[in-house]
Structure formats: C-alpha cells, structure tokens
Amino acid sequence: MKRKLLSLALCSVMAVGLLAGCGGSSSDGSGDQAASADSVAEAEEQISADADAGSGELISVGFAQVGHESDWRTASTQSCQDVFSEANGYDLSFVDCDNDSAAQLEAVRSFIQQGVQYIIIDPIVSTGWDQVLGECSDAGIPVIVIDRTIDDSDNYTAWVGSDFKTEGLAAGEWLAAYAEKQGISEINALVIEGTNGASAQIGRTDGFKEVADANGWTILDSQDGDFTEDGGQQVMESYCKSYEGQFNVVVCQNDNEAFGAMTAMDNAGVTYGVDGDVILISFDACTAGLQEVQKGTINADFECNPLAAPFVEEIIQTLQAGGEVESNEVYVEEHWYALPDAIVDFSVNGVAQEMTEVTDEVIEAQY
Ligand code: GYE
C-alpha cells in the first residue's frame, strides 16, 4: 500500500482549519484557533454546497464507531454526524459498537448487506480485519479507516488519524525534561493503559516505555483502564493499595481515565498535579482535560485530534468524482499542553517540540 505523510490530497483550507482547529499554533494558539474554527466552518459549507450541487442523490455511508467511552469519542461521533448529514448530501448509517469487536465486524457486514457506497471503520482493536476487509473489497465498497489503525491488513482505501507512538514518546520526553527541571532524579511510574489491543494503547505504551527504558525509569505497573473514567478509577484504586508511597508519576492514556484516577487518588489521600507528590500525565486534551491542566491537577496533556471526518469527506468526494486518493495515510497534527512552569524544551526523534500554554482561549477553542 502506498504510504505518504500528511494530507497532500486535501484542500489546504480544510487542512489548515482542521489541524489548527484542535489546538492552534503551538506556542500561543489563541488567534489562530479562532481563525481556524472559521476555516473549518467555511470548508464545511463549501462541501455542503458541492454536495447539494451534485446529482441530488444521497451518498450512503456506514460508520462502525468504537463506542461512547470518552469525551474524545463523543467529539469524533459528533464530527462524523455533522459532516455526513443529509443537508451535506449523505445518508449515514451509524453503529455504536460499544467496544465490542465482534459487534463491530457484524456492523461492517450489515453495511455490506445494505449495499452502502462507503464504509468508515474506527477499529476497536488493530487485528482480526483481513477477512471482513476482503468481503468489503469483493463487494466493491471502499473502506476508509479512521483514528486507530488496522495492522494485519492493508486492504482498505485510506486511513486518517494520529501518530500514537509519537504521542507516547512526547509524553516521555516531556517528563524527562520536566523531571530534570524539578530536580527529580528517580521516576517510579504507574501506567493506566487504554483498551488492550487498540493501536492507540499500543502506540502510547510503546512510546512512553521507550523513553522510560532509555532513562532507566521504573514502570511499576501498566494495566488496562479501557479508556473509561470507571476503568481509570478502578485501576488507580488498586494501584493506591499495591504501591502506596512508591510512585511519583501516573500516566493515563486518556483524559477520562485521568478523571477516574484523580478520584481514586483523592480518596486515598495521594496528592498530584503541580502542587502534589505525583506528576499526572494524560492524553487527548479534550476540553475537560485542559480545564484540569489549567487548575494544575494534570501536569501535561498530549493531544489526540478526533476531527477526522472532514478529511474523510474530502476522500469520498475525490472518489465520487472518479479521482484517485493521492495520500492514503493522513496524519492529523496535535499539540502538547501545559501551564507555563511545565513548558520545557524537548525533542522527539531529534525534532524539537513546541508546547502550548493552556489559556481560557485555548480551552474555548478545544473540542
Ligand atoms: O484517546 C480515547 C478513546 O482511539 C485515539 O479512544 C482514540 C482513543 C482516545 O476512547 O479517549
């Protein structure tokens, strides 16, 4: 499968709007974010007008969504429903698979039965896809994968999503620089992972572990919190008992897990955040996550961008027009957030990273 970095095939206003829309410029953010929200709105209107100007027939799309486990997921679903609306020329069949891989395969097969024109899959887990993708391809239905990756087959048209390993590496490299600044020489970390087997869990785990190993840190434990608040709370409750007084870093692989972990630490009398004993790291950077960063309870939050739908629509429109998808691997840009005291210099794979200060304007513009 042909692989390319970044969204070469996508129109620039859409790219700028989407990329900046979830965080704005890396250093300050506010102005660009307002502008980017406008750009997204303009681009969406344009697409809507294009669709309306077409044959008048709705384009049928089936979307097998992971579930409804997190704020990130809610934003992803909302974005797809907004973009693939009837007003925009689409007939969307949406299935919430409730984090059940078997139900997700069933949903894809039901889309084939219905004879939809396009299938969008956000794969709960990264393997087990070869057969059903073959069935889609036999039926002549293009599949666009979003967010999480499929790692045991390349029998799909395109993928749009995040670089999860880079997110994990960024969290690790940030921690190395921040710990040095704070004069912390020993790291004993607890990790609350996302759903086991999801590419988001695999990438974030591998990325952080790579930096931990390189720095000689101890990862005391790493367990599945299923990307939910309840899951995060339960895992943290058990960590607080098993590792009482032994840990100084908690890494949650999404904000909802972090909210649950905070409740568990509050109940156990463990302090965290900028004034606490434990450094709390999170991923996603949804609005509620950034509010915690602003309060100082989460030390740093590594964004994951849920707004893939406008890119997917661009791909579908290209295919509808008989064109070829030039870029079948589209990475969305992401930002790393903290308060000024925790904005430190670090690199990922030799590339210097910029961090974004959390302000009211940044929170306002976030998903
Ligand atoms: O981080 C989490 C969600 O697949 C990137 O899934 C996504 C993850 C996201 O439940 O909040």
Side-chain angles (χ1 to χ4, degrees):
M1 179 176 231
K2 189 173 57 164
R3 307 242 168 209
K4 271 193 196 165
L5 271 186
L6 283 173
S7 50
L8 302 178
L10 304 174
C11 79
S12 58
V13 63
M14 179 67 75
V16 168
L18 176 60
L19 298 184
C22 31
S25 73
S26 304
S27 49
D28 125 270
S30 49
D32 284 359
Q33 278 160 359
S36 68
D38 288 348
S39 304
V40 170
E42 278 165 26
E44 283 175 358
E45 268 171 35
Q46 183 55 45
I47 284 162
S48 161
D50 291 350
D52 291 346
S55 64
E57 301 252 322
L58 298 179
I59 300 168
S60 55
V61 176
F63 176 27
Q65 172 64 296
V66 169
H68 49 272
E69 71 284 359
S70 63
D71 288 31
W72 190 100
R73 190 63 53 201
T74 305
S76 158
T77 294
Q78 189 61 53
S79 160
C80 272
Q81 288 175 339
D82 289 350
V83 168
F84 297 107
S85 64
E86 271 195 41
N88 285 350
Y90 294 91
D91 175 13
L92 177 67
S93 299
F94 174 83
V95 178
D96 174 335
C97 301
D98 201 14
N99 222 19
D100 177 342
S101 295
Q104 193 165 41
L105 293 176
E106 216 173 282
V108 173
R109 292 197 166 102
S110 79
F111 296 149
I112 300 173
Q113 288 291 316
Q114 282 173 51
V116 300
Q117 290 164 274
Y118 298 92
I119 294 177
I120 305 171
I121 302 173
D122 188 329
I124 297 169
V125 291
S126 63
T127 54
W129 287 100
D130 208 31
Q131 189 174 334
V132 79
L133 289 181
E135 292 166 28
C136 295
S137 144
D138 290 348
I141 305 172
V143 171
I144 298 151
V145 180
I146 63 167
D147 170 32
R148 303 180 184 176
T149 53
I150 286 178
D151 297 336
D152 62 350
S153 168
D154 58 8
N155 195 4
Y156 52 86
T157 303
W159 167 85
V160 182
S162 307
D163 186 339
F164 302 117
K165 176 138 188 222
T166 292
E167 293 171 359
L169 287 169
E173 298 291 5
W174 169 82
L175 178 59
Y178 181 66
E180 193 182 331
K181 181 183 173 195
Q182 301 294 102
I184 299 168
S185 54
E186 204 180 307
I187 300 284
N188 291 300
L190 288 167
V191 178
I192 304 181
E193 297 181 17
T195 304
N196 207 263
S199 68
Q201 171 264 326
I202 296 167
R204 289 172 189 163
T205 304
D206 290 352
F208 184 78
K209 187 171 182 310
E210 196 172 300
V211 183
D213 290 347
N215 285 280
W217 299 338
T218 302
I219 296 182
L220 294 163
D221 212 335
S222 197
Q223 286 182 29
D224 185 351
D226 226 6
F227 281 133
T228 63
E229 182 163 349
D230 269 6
Q233 183 172 341
Q234 277 171 34
V235 172
M236 196 67 227
E237 277 165 1
S238 105
Y239 281 167
C240 285
K241 288 188 194 120
S242 310
Y243 302 100
E244 191 185 342
Q246 296 172 48
F247 59 95
N248 59 353
V249 173
V250 171
V251 181
C252 296
Q253 288 183 356
N254 80 346
D255 287 334
N256 295 81
E257 288 181 343
F259 306 151
M262 288 191 264
T263 306
M265 287 193 276
D266 288 340
N267 292 341
V270 175
T271 61
Y272 50 87
V274 295
D275 297 322
D277 294 332
V278 171
I279 297 169
L280 181 57
I281 296 173
S282 185
F283 293 86
D284 278 0
C286 65
T287 300
L290 290 188
Q291 283 164 342
E292 295 301 331
V293 176
Q294 194 179 40
K295 279 194 248 164
T297 46
I298 292 176
N299 295 73
D301 207 339
F302 295 82
E303 183 177 52
C304 187
N305 178 342
L307 308 177
F311 283 97
V312 177
E313 165 154 65
E314 191 67 24
I315 291 167
I316 289 178
Q317 289 298 329
T318 301
L319 297 174
Q320 279 296 107
E324 295 232 337
V325 177
E326 278 176 40
S327 172
N328 56 14
E329 191 167 66
V330 178
Y331 285 97
V332 291
E333 193 183 319
E334 328 212 281
H335 300 81
W336 322 136
Y337 294 99
L339 288 176
D341 262 4
I343 292 192
V344 285
D345 292 334
F346 65 95
S347 299
V348 170
N349 292 328
V351 179
Q353 305 290 300
E354 285 191 67
M355 294 190 73
T356 303
E357 178 188 342
V358 173
T359 60
D360 288 342
E361 292 73 27
V362 166
I363 293 174
E364 184 71 22
Q366 195 64 343
Y367 69 88

